[in-house]
Amino acid sequence: MCAKEMKQKIIDVSNHGIVPNTDITLKLSQLLFKIKGMDDIKLFFPKGVYQFYKKHAMEAYKNIANHDDGLKRIAFLINNMNSLSIDGDDSLFLFYDEVIPFAVDKSKNFTIKNVKIDFIMPFHSELEIVTSDPEKKSFIAKINAQRYPYKIENNKILFKRFEQWVHVGQNIAFDKNTTAPIYNPPLYETVDYPHAIDLGNDCVEFSKLGENIQPIPEGAVWITYGERTLNRHIPAIHVIDSKNIILENMTVHTAGGMSLIIERTENINLSQYFVTPSNDRMVSTRADATHFMNCKGDIVVEDCKLDHMLDDGINVHGAYVNVDSYVGDNTFVASISHFQQEGIIFADPGDKVAFTNKETISSFFETTVEEVNIINSKVFLIRFAEVPDPIPPFEMTLENLTWQPNVVFKNNIIEKNRARGALLTTKGKVEITGNCFYNQMHNVLLVGDNDFWYESSGTKDVTIHNNIFDKVGFSDPDAYPLYVLVKLTKDQKYGEKPYHGKVSFIENQINSLNGLFVHGSSIDSLLVSNNSIVSSTNTRDYLSQYPSINLNSVNKAVIKNNRSEGFNSELLVKQSKVSEAVVDKNLGFYSTN
């Protein structure tokens, strides 16, 4: 037993009437009130299945990044606690209503371990396609009405999710055999409200799928998850304004949003954290497995398995905010850029902040925050020690330079999910090593944008080493193992300085269907060496038309000692606006400028 555990006061929850196979919500609320303000507490749950309902769950209004804000019911509402740990002894926490399992705010040294989280029903529906008719552009789906209750009104199908009835909304098809997204899913992504006819025996025919949309193939599984702006409201775990967070030996089977969303928190460690579906479901969480916004210190994620979620495996980023106007006295009116970031705390006094030119997303002035006054969830006043002189006439945004974490992503598996694998965009040091990626879109994506999500920032030092990228292109024919860029609109352009700093991609194994390797743009220094890319197919059906290595606006690139094998022809290395390049000793590649 470690010294910390010896110091902690251990509370066996069964001594407070909290026992398996019963609704424990009220008794848990009472126990949390009792320990409020106490330090060094460990809540121990003897192994079993614990039930949670919303009637006696605590309540708080929550602004949750990348989710739908609102008044939420919460099982474990943790505020201003120090050294609290929760040990579930491998118990299942089963939720019968729309309740956020864990919400942690302004707490230090918080640990959850040996806990499984599931809901009595998922936040999506899964329909098996039994007949598909390309000529009629229709398909017939068989629905397990007990698992996924539904009704049809005015030829529109609605699914019951707890207390709500929702339309098809966002949707994607999965391959029943591989349990991964089917090849090229956008071909089958129907409109939000397809025409539905009840054929009886829980079979429904769908037509009027949308322009250029193909009927979902027979044998596929159709995943529907509701209207775009109303389907991210119940994450499994939300942490904000906290420090030293440990999540160990945990499983999240489903959530009505992300499995884990952590904001403005310092030092986070995930080990043996699993996101995976239960009860023969095809899909796990509605959105990302793990997501970190405006954090600092060290984020360590190792020995985890994240699969079958409907968005990314891990996403680490900051947030640009808009500069609306200058009001004098070194003070600006600023506003949150994206509606699902409203309520975030952009900065505190003492934080270092950069002004950026919105047209180029390039920083041009750095200063220190002296005061922040929040007007509402979207708008705030921010005063700096120094400001640009004169105030520039062009549109500006702000980026917080203090809240930029280091990231270690090691020995993890991300597989069979919709969207990307790892998005790790931070100015801290990033190490991605020993992982296995098998996901629909780009495996590792380093990107920032100043237009839609306003996710910052350019990276400084990223090493991607000794990873396996499996079946690249199995679902998205244009997916790259490594994709580095700054996302620009038609009204934006590259700045004088590269957006990204040093990126190293070394000693990785790529099992590829599409022949794509590395895309890199707006990078100061790129090293791609000692990697192998091997064809996973004998046909050319999957091969992309893009260059295998595609470089644009790179100061220095070294591409050497890489090997391609099993492709019908050599793979193309294309360079555009590369100041200095070394392309040498690459087997199975040819180069063009």
Side-chain angles (χ1 to χ4, degrees), residues 122-127 148-149 159-161 221-225:
F123 293 82
H124 65 273
S125 299
E126 302 184 4
L127 290 66
Y148 309 108
F159 297 95
K160 188 175 185 182
R161 310 265 165 78
V221 177
W222 189 31
I223 314 295
T224 73
Y225 40 107

Side-chain angles (χ1 to χ4, degrees), residues 172-192:
I172 186 173
F174 272 58
D175 187 306
K176 187 176 181 180
N177 295 319
T178 65
T179 74
I182 63 175
Y183 182 71
N184 210 354
L187 287 175
Y188 311 101
E189 185 178 341
T190 73
V191 295
D192 290 356

Side-chain angles (χ1 to χ4, degrees), residues 510-513 533-539 543 565-568:
I510 302 158
N511 303 315
S512 177
L513 292 166
I533 177 170
V534 179
S535 174
S536 298
T537 177
N538 294 321
T539 72
L543 288 181
E565 181 181 330
F567 295 96
N568 293 337

Side-chain angles (χ1 to χ4, degrees), residues 421-563:
L423 292 80
L424 303 176
T425 310
T426 170
K427 289 179 168 59
K429 185 175 178 61
V430 176
E431 299 176 46
I432 306 169
T433 182
N435 305 287
C436 183
F437 295 91
Y438 169 23
N439 50 271
Q440 177 198 356
M441 300 180 186
H442 304 306
N443 299 131
V444 175
L445 175 62
L446 309 179
V447 63
D449 80 281
N450 212 323
D451 175 60
F452 182 70
W453 281 107
Y454 290 84
E455 294 183 355
S456 69
S457 64
T459 59
K460 281 193 173 182
D461 188 353
V462 178
T463 299
I464 304 154
H465 171 249
N466 193 32
N467 302 279
I468 296 174
F469 298 90
D470 200 16
K471 300 179 183 65
V472 178
F474 81 91
S475 182
D476 182 345
D478 298 324
Y480 279 82
L482 173 62
Y483 200 89
V484 186
L485 78 159
V486 51
K487 190 176 180 182
L488 301 175
T489 69
K490 62 181 180 62
D491 299 319
Q492 293 176 314
K493 62 183 180 180
Y494 288 124
E496 293 182 3
K497 298 182 297 183
Y499 189 74
H500 297 281
K502 175 184 175 184
V503 179
S504 301
F505 191 77
I506 52 180
E507 297 180 344
N508 299 287
Q509 169 69 49
I510 302 158
N511 303 315
S512 177
L513 292 166
N514 61 7
L516 298 183
F517 192 1
V518 173
H519 174 102
S521 61
S522 196
I523 305 171
D524 183 44
S525 174
L526 174 65
L527 171 64
V528 180
S529 71
N530 296 292
N531 304 283
S532 67
I533 177 170
V534 179
S535 174
S536 298
T537 177
N538 294 321
T539 72
R540 297 184 60 86
D541 294 346
Y542 287 81
L543 288 181
S544 173
Q545 299 303 307
Y546 289 105
S548 181
I549 299 178
N550 194 4
L551 307 182
N552 181 25
S553 298
V554 177
N555 281 350
K556 180 178 180 180
V558 177
I559 314 295
K560 66 179 183 180
N561 297 327
N562 301 289
R563 176 178 62 89

Side-chain angles (χ1 to χ4, degrees), residues 204-472:
V204 178
E205 182 183 52
F206 294 93
S207 59
K208 299 181 182 179
L209 307 178
E211 188 176 357
N212 299 321
I213 299 300
Q214 300 300 311
I216 301 173
E218 181 178 332
V221 177
W222 189 31
I223 314 295
T224 73
Y225 40 107
E227 290 87 338
R228 187 175 298 271
T229 58
L230 297 172
N231 59 15
R232 288 189 178 195
H233 51 285
I234 302 292
I237 303 169
H238 178 227
V239 180
I240 190 169
D241 292 333
S242 296
K243 183 176 181 179
N244 301 336
I245 304 298
I246 297 175
L247 304 178
E248 178 183 338
N249 189 30
M250 292 192 65
T251 299
V252 177
H253 290 302
T254 193
M258 296 173 182
S259 159
L260 173 68
I261 168 71
I262 299 186
E263 306 178 62
R264 205 163 175 81
T265 291
E266 181 178 1
N267 299 333
I268 304 147
N269 192 297
L270 273 65
S271 62
Q272 294 186 306
Y273 185 90
F274 307 108
V275 175
T276 193
S278 64
N279 301 318
D280 298 323
R281 299 169 186 160
M282 182 73 72
V283 166
S284 57
T285 58
R286 157 62 195 94
D288 297 357
T290 63
H291 197 111
F292 306 85
M293 179 176 177
N294 292 338
C295 293
K296 70 177 180 179
D298 295 314
I299 298 174
V300 179
V301 180
E302 55 185 344
D303 301 319
C304 301
K305 187 170 184 288
L306 315 171
D307 64 74
H308 291 93
M309 51 278 177
L310 288 171
D311 218 322
D312 307 319
I314 179 172
N315 192 346
V316 179
H317 65 90
Y320 294 111
V321 297
N322 289 313
V323 175
D324 294 344
S325 62
Y326 180 60
V327 294
D329 190 28
N330 289 2
T331 302
F332 293 82
V333 178
S335 60
I336 306 301
S337 306
H338 191 276
F339 75 95
Q340 283 188 331
Q341 293 172 353
E342 291 184 16
I344 67 169
I345 303 300
F346 170 73
D348 284 325
D351 286 355
K352 190 175 181 179
V353 166
F355 281 76
T356 67
N357 182 335
K358 190 169 184 178
E359 183 185 26
T360 62
I361 322 185
S362 297
S363 63
F364 63 91
F365 186 85
E366 295 181 5
T367 183
T368 302
V369 177
E370 289 195 337
E371 185 179 28
V372 178
N373 289 300
I374 297 173
I375 295 175
N376 54 47
S377 64
K378 185 175 177 64
V379 180
F380 59 95
L381 293 167
I382 185 165
R383 180 165 59 85
F384 298 104
E386 298 174 328
V387 299
D389 185 18
I391 303 297
F394 49 76
E395 286 188 85
M396 297 179 290
T397 54
L398 301 173
E399 177 183 14
N400 194 314
L401 301 178
T402 297
W403 291 81
Q404 299 277 345
N406 303 310
V407 179
V408 174
F409 192 73
K410 183 178 180 181
N411 298 337
N412 305 293
I413 298 172
I414 299 178
E415 66 175 2
K416 300 183 178 181
N417 62 299
R418 175 198 166 273
R420 291 72 57 97
L423 292 80
L424 303 176
T425 310
T426 170
K427 289 179 168 59
K429 185 175 178 61
V430 176
E431 299 176 46
I432 306 169
T433 182
N435 305 287
C436 183
F437 295 91
Y438 169 23
N439 50 271
Q440 177 198 356
M441 300 180 186
H442 304 306
N443 299 131
V444 175
L445 175 62
L446 309 179
V447 63
D449 80 281
N450 212 323
D451 175 60
F452 182 70
W453 281 107
Y454 290 84
E455 294 183 355
S456 69
S457 64
T459 59
K460 281 193 173 182
D461 188 353
V462 178
T463 299
I464 304 154
H465 171 249
N466 193 32
N467 302 279
I468 296 174
F469 298 90
D470 200 16
K471 300 179 183 65
V472 178

Side-chain angles (χ1 to χ4, degrees), residues 151-201:
K151 64 182 179 181
I152 296 175
E153 294 180 347
N154 299 320
N155 294 118
K156 300 290 187 296
I157 192 168
L158 297 98
F159 297 95
K160 188 175 185 182
R161 310 265 165 78
F162 297 100
E163 298 176 2
Q164 296 182 326
W165 287 94
V166 298
H167 289 280
V168 167
Q170 292 179 277
N171 58 93
I172 186 173
F174 272 58
D175 187 306
K176 187 176 181 180
N177 295 319
T178 65
T179 74
I182 63 175
Y183 182 71
N184 210 354
L187 287 175
Y188 311 101
E189 185 178 341
T190 73
V191 295
D192 290 356
Y193 312 103
H195 190 268
I197 298 176
D198 191 347
L199 302 178
N201 297 318

